Amino acid sequence: MSYTKRREKMGRTIHIHRVPAAIALITITLIIVYFVNFHADERPAVYGLLRNQNKVNLRKLLIGAIQAAQRGGLEVLDVAQSRDLRERSKGKTDEGANDPFTDADGRSHCVMKEGLHRIFPRVKIYSEEDKESCSNVNTFDLDPTVLHETANLPNELVDIKDVTVWIDPLDATQEFTEKLYQYVTTMVCVAVKGKPIIGVIHSPFIGQTAWAWVDHSMSEYLASIHPVNPDSSKPLITVSRSHAGSVKDLTRNVFGEESEILTAAGAGYKVLQVISNNATAYLHSTKIKKWDICAGDAILNALGGAMTNLNDELIDYGPEGSPVNDQGLLATLKNHDEYIEKLMEYRKSHTAPAHR
Ligand SMILES: *[C@@H]1O[C@H](CO)[C@@H](O)[C@H](O)[C@H]1NC(C)=O
């Protein structure tokens, strides 16, 4: 058979098969029309699926956030046990302290970020270690058993475009390298329209997870450390041990000599001190990154506490703007107004005029 003949034959074959193909197509269309019209009770499900493709379920995000923090914590533990941190420096912080990075930061980042990204591919996720590249990461599937049995949580859908997730794969890296493990946490925060709604602070070396979803529920551990009637008679301020000098002076000047100071490390840990009433306030006077504070902000909100910058403004965790909060921080469970007023008054009267 010549080449042209073969082509003709193929052409004819296709031609003959067009009719049954058209019939099949019409039949399938009729079946679909039949199902959509005659199974009216199934319509909400079908149409709902289409409508919900731009939504994300906050209950699922909560489960994923808890799992991510715990999985990241396992990486941190693993590196600590291997005794080979492979510590290096990311440079200096604004306070001039070393800004260390270890394998634990990198491995935790990859597990947390990639794990969440695989389940929620269209949600914006920011991590402290976004510059790291990840390969061969063990991901995870959603496991609702990370919630306690009495946690009654609704399926609440929000627009994906309104959601930002903030990850801190290892808070208090400096203390991690010094084996001051109690300060180390892994954190995940979910913000909706810039407001912190879900916060997870996991302490891998203590083996506890504090999580809360504003207006819904909180972890049993969080409920257990949170006193019903926190005593707040005397200011007991927790501040960073890495640059405590200036903020200690500020505390004494603003709250008086009778005020006490609890030096600690890690923003996550310090928020837990406020929540457990080991401190009445957490004060930070310099820059701090949003992945350090978002989870604590959400948890404080859930417990009726407050976190603001030192101008008494809420911190915006939306996708716009800088990931740095450069106006300081005050976190309290009670009496936020009283604390912030004293701070603002003092700062107003002691701010040196700008150099010309
Ligand atoms: C509060 O302080 C006590 C005593 O130092 C300590 O045992 C406890 O773990 C602290 N709470 C938290 C949440 O760290």
Side-chain angles (χ1 to χ4, degrees), residues 197-214:
I197 298 296
I198 290 172
V200 183
I201 303 177
H202 176 62
S203 309
F205 295 93
I206 298 166
Q208 295 288 359
T209 311
W211 63 256
W213 180 5
V214 175

Side-chain angles (χ1 to χ4, degrees), residues 221 225 269 272-273 276 278:
Y221 171 66
I225 64 170
Y269 180 87
L272 292 180
Q273 300 318 299
S276 61
N278 280 355

Side-chain angles (χ1 to χ4, degrees), residues 32-282:
I32 291 171
V33 168
Y34 171 83
F35 265 88
V36 170
N37 283 320
F38 289 84
H39 290 73
D41 51 2
E42 284 170 21
R43 280 168 71 177
V46 174
Y47 287 92
L49 263 180
L50 297 175
R51 202 176 48 232
N52 289 346
Q53 62 190 351
N54 291 321
K55 304 269 184 183
V56 61
N57 185 334
L58 285 180
R59 192 182 67 88
K60 290 186 179 173
L61 260 180
L62 168 66
I63 294 167
I66 295 168
Q67 283 181 270
Q70 294 178 344
R71 299 265 171 157
L74 290 178
E75 300 295 321
V76 173
L77 285 178
D78 202 43
V79 174
Q81 271 148 21
S82 78
R83 289 164 221 263
D84 178 17
L85 312 184
R86 301 212 293 137
E87 181 189 348
R88 50 253 189 222
S89 181
K90 289 197 288 185
K92 292 240 187 289
T93 67
D94 289 328
E95 288 80 36
N98 181 36
D99 191 8
F101 177 87
T102 68
D103 269 5
D105 298 76
R107 281 174 49 184
S108 178
H109 157 77
C110 288
V111 163
M112 294 176 76
K113 174 138 184 187
E114 297 294 307
L116 284 175
H117 181 69
R118 195 182 64 91
I119 303 170
F120 307 101
R122 290 164 62 213
V123 172
K124 287 183 279 298
I125 306 176
Y126 303 103
S127 162
E128 175 170 11
E129 310 300 346
D130 268 338
K131 290 190 199 80
E132 286 299 292
S133 60
C134 304
S135 57
N136 300 324
V137 178
N138 283 326
T139 53
F140 52 86
D141 294 316
L142 286 183
D143 174 10
T145 63
V146 296
L147 304 172
H148 49 283
E149 278 170 22
T150 52
N152 180 17
L153 297 167
N155 290 304
E156 195 172 303
L157 300 182
V158 293
D159 285 339
I160 287 182
K161 65 173 172 37
D162 290 338
V163 175
T164 41
V165 173
W166 295 85
I167 292 178
D168 192 338
L170 203 175
D171 190 28
T173 301
Q174 177 61 40
E175 287 67 28
F176 175 69
T177 66
E178 294 172 39
K179 296 199 168 77
L180 297 170
Y181 290 139
Q182 74 273 25
Y183 297 128
V184 172
T185 60
T186 58
M187 294 188 274
V188 182
C189 179
V190 178
V192 179
K193 293 188 176 166
K195 290 198 184 72
I197 298 296
I198 290 172
V200 183
I201 303 177
H202 176 62
S203 309
F205 295 93
I206 298 166
Q208 295 288 359
T209 311
W211 63 256
W213 180 5
V214 175
D215 291 337
H216 290 294
S217 193
M218 68 179 83
S219 72
E220 287 174 320
Y221 171 66
L222 182 58
S224 76
I225 64 170
H226 170 57
V228 182
N229 284 311
D231 171 28
S232 56
S233 43
K234 170 170 84 177
L236 202 171
I237 319 285
T238 185
V239 302
S240 173
R241 71 186 273 274
S242 60
H243 53 101
S246 56
V247 77
K248 268 185 185 168
D249 292 343
L250 179 65
T251 303
R252 293 253 187 268
N253 290 335
V254 174
F255 301 107
E257 287 302 316
E258 74 277 20
S259 60
E260 277 185 53
I261 289 169
L262 172 68
T263 51
Y269 180 87
K270 276 174 260 169
V271 166
L272 292 180
Q273 300 318 299
V274 172
I275 285 162
S276 61
N277 202 39
N278 280 355
T280 60
Y282 163 25

